[in-house]
Amino acid sequence: DTGVSQDPRHKITKRGQNVTFRCDPISEHNRLYWYRQTLGQGPEFLTYFQNEAQLEKSRLLSDRFSAERPKGSFSTLEIQHTEQGDSAMYLCASSLSVGTGAYNEQFFGPGTRLTVL
Amino acid sequence: SQQGEEDPQALSIQEGENATMNCSYKTSINNLQWYRQNSGRGLVHLILIRSNEREKHSGRLRVTLDTSKKSSSLLITASRAADTASYFCATVGTQGGSEKLVFGKGMKLTVNP
């Protein structure tokens, strides 16, 4: 399967613990996005990378959240000192931007469902 | 914050009937897209309509866009039980180069066999 993959698919943790999620984009895609989706809501943008550079972060991304894409391929999203309000589905998407001005479709992974007890 | 808002929030129809969902948004857009999400297959892209387009078709899907009213509609014709899912509209704004998607809250469609 050459789509976007995320690991783990489910994570249950206790309040105060740190968690890290991984996203593997489609191999040639240079853009990678993180979104968060809470129950009954649509996904909300968190941050995005162009290659290894993190170019935009949402106000939703508090200091407890950090994302990296060290080699411009896979990305990790870490949440420190988790809170119950962090419980959500964390979605990753990737796209190939070739700079022509045309919109570049994002392809989504299956998500990581986080439950903070 | 979410920009789009789908209407109705839930819709239940019989197989074979048409389903229409509406989406309103707030700011200028580059394009508007519709996605489907169910527990089995995640978020799936359905169709994209650019800001200079008014109508687009793809199979059983028909999307319209009215930029003067900042609204869009998605019509699914001859619905099937497999169309049961949540549907989201998402916009890409004209500011910045991220192409980030701004989603609505979604609408739950149930197609009864």
Side-chain angles (χ1 to χ4, degrees), chain A residues 31 33 37 42 56 103 106, chain B residues 2 33 37 97-100:
Chain A
R31 287 190 170 185
Y33 301 79
Q37 184 178 23
E56 187 173 342
Y103 173 74
Q106 294 178 35
Chain B
Q2 293 177 308
Q33 303 170 47
Q37 185 178 45
S98 71
E99 296 184 326
K100 66 185 178 189

Side-chain angles (χ1 to χ4, degrees), chain A residues 31 33 35 37 40-45 48 56 59 91 95 102-106 108-110, chain B residues 1-2 30-31 33 35 37 42-43 45 48 50 88 92 97-101 103-106:
Chain A
R31 287 190 170 185
Y33 301 79
Y35 294 84
Q37 184 178 23
Q41 301 292 315
E44 293 180 289
F45 170 79
Y48 101 100
E56 187 173 342
R59 291 171 297 173
L91 295 164
S95 70
Y103 173 74
N104 308 292
E105 182 181 341
Q106 294 178 35
F108 281 81
Chain B
S1 63
Q2 293 177 308
N30 176 289
N31 65 70
Q33 303 170 47
Y35 283 81
Q37 185 178 45
L43 204 59
H45 180 264
L48 177 152
R50 294 181 175 79
F88 297 89
V92 175
S98 71
E99 296 184 326
K100 66 185 178 189
L101 292 163
F103 286 85
K105 294 182 178 179

Side-chain angles (χ1 to χ4, degrees), chain B residues 52-70:
Chain B
N52 61 354
E53 297 176 315
R54 291 298 167 257
E55 187 171 316
K56 203 160 183 181
H57 296 254
S58 176
R60 295 184 295 113
L61 304 180
R62 172 178 170 259
V63 172
T64 63
L65 179 65
D66 186 336
T67 53
S68 67
K69 295 181 180 179
K70 291 187 168 58

Side-chain angles (χ1 to χ4, degrees), chain B residues 8-12 21 37 84-87 105-110:
Chain B
Q9 293 192 332
L11 180 63
S12 181
M21 292 161 253
Q37 185 178 45
T84 295
S86 292
Y87 291 81
K105 294 182 178 179
M107 192 219 75
K108 185 168 176 57
L109 174 66
T110 302

Side-chain angles (χ1 to χ4, degrees), chain A residues 11-13 17-21 77-82 114:
Chain A
K11 178 72 176 178
I12 299 174
T13 190
Q17 298 293 306
N18 300 342
V19 295
T20 300
F21 312 139
L77 177 67
E78 181 183 15
I79 309 174
Q80 294 185 326
H81 313 302
T82 53
L114 172 67

